[in-house]
């Protein structure tokens, strides 16, 4: 869930230094859990009535105050996300104020609220990137999966507006059972629009209690073998002519991996990155509900210190010890925790890794 996973060399140096010094160089602002879509595999979307029951959305000045304090702690990059972040009533003003403060801003959106006025706001001080989630290649798929048939056309219009405005854009794609048949169409659209696509076929099980009653992600996500197949197909798209070398290197790595250590918190979460949800609760990432510190009661600097110290003591997942498939496994600390809590074990991750290993072992380049 790291929006800087494709960082340029300068950004990577800054992030690496932040990891070493435990500086929160990246903050993720989850402005609202409400959304214009209602996707069957979403682990965040919450009804507006529920949001009001929990006290409603945070005021603009609260986000700005926290941003100012985070900036003094070393924060440079901010992701504005949701839900659909553009549903936040003060989105345009918040975005503009954060850019004026010097933050490098990335936006996650489904594109349905991007019109010419929104593009003009973004053009004034351009974001680092706008990540637009594309859920399918037709109104039918959007109706079936997102329960909003207008979502597809609005998303396509948004992509064209962003491209015309010279704003950097990327497609985020989640593949589940209800849009599996759209995969090839989505890749064709990405090529036609000349927009890079990032495809995910592993769906985390639900963690948020307010979402569990409404959704069953285990029923919506692909079978482990199919998820592995789509991930490897995506790598062929991503690597292009370099796919043969890539698969050869993976095969070599698997053959020479004797066994891995237990799965600990190895990513940037609680090292150089934090997540702040719509209620003002700071966690290491969107997929970890603990350790958690409320910024309503604790200033960001103290909250960061408390969270990082607690995160450093989290027990590792020993089920991963000795496994030779870690180089191709989707496991991370949050995934392991959530699978065990919701599904009862990490079996899905293990089966997906084994399926990918088989694909890699059997891979043969297509001869011209």
């Amino acid at each position: 869930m790291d929006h800087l996973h494709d960082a340029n060399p300068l950004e990577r140096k800054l992030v690496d230094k932040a990891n070493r010094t435990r500086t929160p160089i990246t903050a993720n602002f989850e402005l609202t859990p409400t959304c214009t879509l209602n996707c069957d595999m979403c682990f965040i979307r919450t009804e507006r009535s529920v949001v009001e029951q929990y006290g409603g959305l945070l005021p603009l000045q609260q986000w700005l105050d926290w941003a100012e304090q985070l900036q003094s702690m070393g924060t440079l990059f901010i992701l504005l996300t949701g839900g659909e972040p553009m549903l936040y009533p003060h989105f345009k003003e918040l975005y503009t104020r954060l850019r004026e403060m010097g933050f490098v801003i990335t936006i996650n959106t489904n594109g349905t609220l991007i019109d010419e006025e929104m593009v003009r706001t973004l053009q004034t001080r351009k974001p680092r990137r706008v990540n637009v989630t594309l859920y399918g290649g037709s109104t039918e798929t959007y109706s079936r999966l997102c329960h909003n048939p207008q979502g597809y056309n609005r998303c396509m219009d948004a992509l064209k507006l962003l491209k015309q405005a010279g704003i950097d854009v990327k497609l985020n794609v989640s593949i589940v059972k209800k849009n599996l048949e759209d995969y090839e169409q989505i890749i064709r659209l990405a090529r036609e629009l000349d927009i890079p696509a990032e495809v995910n076929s592993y769906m985390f099980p639900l963690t948020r209690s307010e979402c569990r009653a409404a959704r069953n992600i285990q029923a919506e996500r692909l079978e482990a073998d199919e998820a592995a197949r789509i991930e490897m197909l995506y790598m062929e798209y991503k690597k292009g002519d370099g796919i043969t070398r890539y698969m050869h290197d993976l095969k070599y790595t698997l053959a020479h991996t004797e066994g891995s250590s237990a799965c600990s918190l190895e990513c940037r979460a609680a090292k150089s990155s934090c997540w702040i949800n719509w209620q003002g609760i700071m966690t290491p990432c969107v997929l970890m509900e603990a350790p958690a510190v409320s910024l309503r009661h604790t200033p960001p600097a103290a909250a960061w210190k408390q969270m990082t110290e607690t995160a450093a003591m989290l027990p590792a997942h020993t089920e991963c010890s000795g496994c030779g498939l870690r180089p191709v496994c989707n496991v991370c600390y949050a995934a392991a925790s959530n699978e065990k809590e919701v599904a009862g074990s990490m079996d899905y991750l293990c089966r997906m890794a084994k399926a990918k290993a088989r694909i890699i072992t059997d891979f043969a380049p297509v001869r011209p």
Side-chain angles (χ1 to χ4, degrees), residues 29-40:
F29 286 6
E30 180 190 305
L31 302 179
T32 173
T34 61
C35 191
T36 54
L37 306 179
N38 188 10
C39 302
D40 289 329

Side-chain angles (χ1 to χ4, degrees), residues 208-226:
R208 298 192 182 187
S209 56
E210 60 266 29
C211 297
R212 286 188 184 179
R215 292 177 183 81
N216 183 359
I217 291 183
Q218 291 168 263
E220 297 295 335
R221 65 184 180 181
L222 299 173
E223 295 300 323
D225 286 7
E226 191 74 336

Side-chain angles (χ1 to χ4, degrees), residues 170-228:
K170 185 188 74 173
L171 295 178
N172 281 343
V173 181
S174 298
I175 299 296
V176 293
K177 291 176 182 176
K178 290 179 181 175
N179 67 351
L180 175 60
E181 294 182 357
D182 289 49
Y183 173 77
E184 295 293 346
Q185 171 67 4
I186 290 171
I187 296 301
R188 281 196 296 271
L189 285 171
R191 289 186 169 126
E192 290 170 6
L193 295 168
D194 190 27
I195 298 175
E198 179 179 342
V199 177
N200 291 295
S201 57
Y202 168 62
M203 300 293 111
F204 287 78
L206 280 171
T207 56
R208 298 192 182 187
S209 56
E210 60 266 29
C211 297
R212 286 188 184 179
R215 292 177 183 81
N216 183 359
I217 291 183
Q218 291 168 263
E220 297 295 335
R221 65 184 180 181
L222 299 173
E223 295 300 323
D225 286 7
E226 191 74 336

Side-chain angles (χ1 to χ4, degrees), residues 6 86 91 105 131 138 145 176 208 221 262 281 313 329 332:
D6 56 352
M86 294 179 187
F91 176 83
I105 304 295
N131 298 322
S138 68
L145 176 62
V176 293
R208 298 192 182 187
R221 65 184 180 181
I281 298 174
M313 296 185 290
C329 187
C332 69

Side-chain angles (χ1 to χ4, degrees), residues 65-122:
D65 288 346
W66 287 338
E68 185 176 0
Q69 293 177 66
L70 286 164
Q71 190 170 51
S72 69
M73 296 162 58
T75 300
L76 173 61
F77 303 99
I78 291 180
L79 171 71
L80 299 180
T81 186
E84 171 47 56
M86 294 179 187
L87 275 177
Y88 180 66
H90 312 290
F91 176 83
K92 291 176 184 176
E93 185 175 357
L94 176 62
Y95 171 81
T96 300
R97 295 280 296 276
L98 291 175
R99 288 293 289 116
E100 289 172 349
M101 292 170 68
F103 288 105
V104 180
I105 304 295
T106 300
I107 302 168
N108 282 356
T109 175
N110 60 36
T112 58
L113 297 179
I114 294 179
D115 53 17
E116 292 183 357
E117 182 182 347
M118 182 66 73
V119 168
R120 283 194 292 272
T121 298
L122 300 180

